[in-house]
Amino acid sequence: RVFTPAVDSIYGHDGPPLDSYVGYALAAARLEGIALPERDYAAVVYGRREAIGFSDSVMYIALNHYIDPDYPGYQRFPVYERVVKTPAQLPYDIAEALVGSQLPYQAPSDGGTALSHMLYEGALACARTALVENADEAEALGYSERQYERVLDHEAELWRELISRELLYDTDETAWRRLVSPAPVTSVLSIYSPGRAGRFLGYRMVKRYLEAHPEADLASLLSPEFYNAPDVLEKIDYNP
């Protein structure tokens, strides 16, 4: 009763092509070496906090999470969550859900370093661009153009902060979550950097690796043999 009229007004006959989003992502995933299971896909309206979920062999896409940041039904969400509740974010979230559900992070015995989590999140961000037609990097990372320009301009500074604060090989869950989880800012690095700056740095590292190893596919980057490798920084040769 609350969300359906708004969803129908956006995702009616002339709305975003949901079939195309899913179809393109599935085809691109195959090219990237990712084998996805047979399943059905359902666009729904439901009251859970999760925007996309799985049940048995069905992937549910809750369209009521992709209306407009100013939609009254989103008032209980903090601003940094509302700003990505747009139709433009839908194909990126579909891509990440498909890949992340099939290739979840595999933690080593110590839980994984911040670097390991950043690289995995960076590979997921790469999936958000590779599995979406005509993808925009800022949108894929959940940033506005201004936020994206800011992190690009200060990439080297963010990296230096990460090193100087000895966070790169920290295995404390609180540390890496503050780097890669949605938040207003990544305060552990800078109060001026947008949230998920650790994911941004991971994305830039993975892109650097792909430039040097164009034969690599997403499946290999989303494997623990890559993101948990002790010499992974040497392989990447990242120096912003």
Side-chain angles (χ1 to χ4, degrees):
R1 289 195 299 270
V2 175
F3 290 104
T4 298
V7 168
D8 286 344
S9 70
I10 296 172
Y11 297 95
H13 295 298
D14 298 322
L18 299 181
D19 289 350
S20 296
Y21 292 163
V22 174
Y24 188 94
L26 294 175
R30 285 194 293 271
L31 293 176
E32 292 289 348
I34 301 172
L36 297 172
E38 293 281 338
R39 59 163 63 97
D40 294 321
Y41 301 87
V44 300
V45 173
Y46 62 32
R48 300 176 187 172
R49 192 175 181 86
E50 299 81 15
I52 297 177
F54 298 85
S55 178
D56 298 324
S57 60
V58 180
M59 176 175 170
Y60 295 97
I61 305 165
L63 298 182
N64 51 302
H65 278 266
Y66 301 93
I67 297 176
D68 182 271
D70 296 323
Y71 181 66
Y74 295 159
Q75 291 307 305
R76 66 187 178 89
F77 292 99
V79 173
Y80 71 89
E81 289 187 20
R82 292 204 303 267
V83 295
V84 292
K85 287 185 169 295
T86 68
Q89 279 294 310
L90 180 54
Y92 300 106
D93 286 357
I94 288 173
E96 180 172 347
L98 286 169
V99 172
S101 65
Q102 188 64 19
L103 297 170
Y105 179 80
Q106 296 184 44
S109 57
D110 62 2
T113 63
L115 173 62
S116 173
H117 286 277
M118 287 167 57
L119 289 174
Y120 175 77
E121 292 288 329
L124 280 183
C126 280
R128 289 172 70 92
T129 59
L131 274 61
V132 173
E133 190 173 15
N134 300 319
D136 177 88
E137 283 194 339
E139 280 186 349
L141 288 164
Y143 290 152
S144 66
E145 290 296 332
R146 182 179 178 183
Q147 287 176 317
Y148 193 46
E149 289 174 5
R150 187 186 308 160
V151 289
L152 283 174
D153 290 342
H154 297 280
E155 181 179 358
E157 296 171 34
L158 292 170
W159 179 250
R160 286 196 297 269
E161 282 296 315
L162 189 71
I163 301 300
S164 66
R165 299 189 186 194
E166 300 182 347
L167 294 171
L168 202 58
Y169 294 103
D170 197 327
T171 57
D172 181 73
E173 182 176 352
T174 301
W176 63 258
R177 286 199 181 279
R178 292 175 67 188
L179 289 167
V180 303
S181 297
V185 297
T186 310
S187 58
V188 68
L189 294 181
S190 167
I191 60 172
Y192 303 106
S193 64
R196 311 191 87 172
R199 176 182 252 214
F200 161 76
L201 291 173
Y203 173 69
R204 297 289 289 175
M205 283 188 275
V206 170
K207 280 196 66 177
R208 174 70 186 89
Y209 182 82
L210 285 172
E211 290 169 3
H213 302 85
E215 75 284 356
D217 57 22
L218 276 177
S220 64
L221 299 175
L222 286 159
S223 71
E225 288 74 24
F226 173 72
Y227 54 75
N228 284 334
D231 60 345
V232 66
L233 270 187
E234 296 175 23
K235 295 178 181 178
I236 294 172
D237 190 26
Y238 176 67
N239 185 28

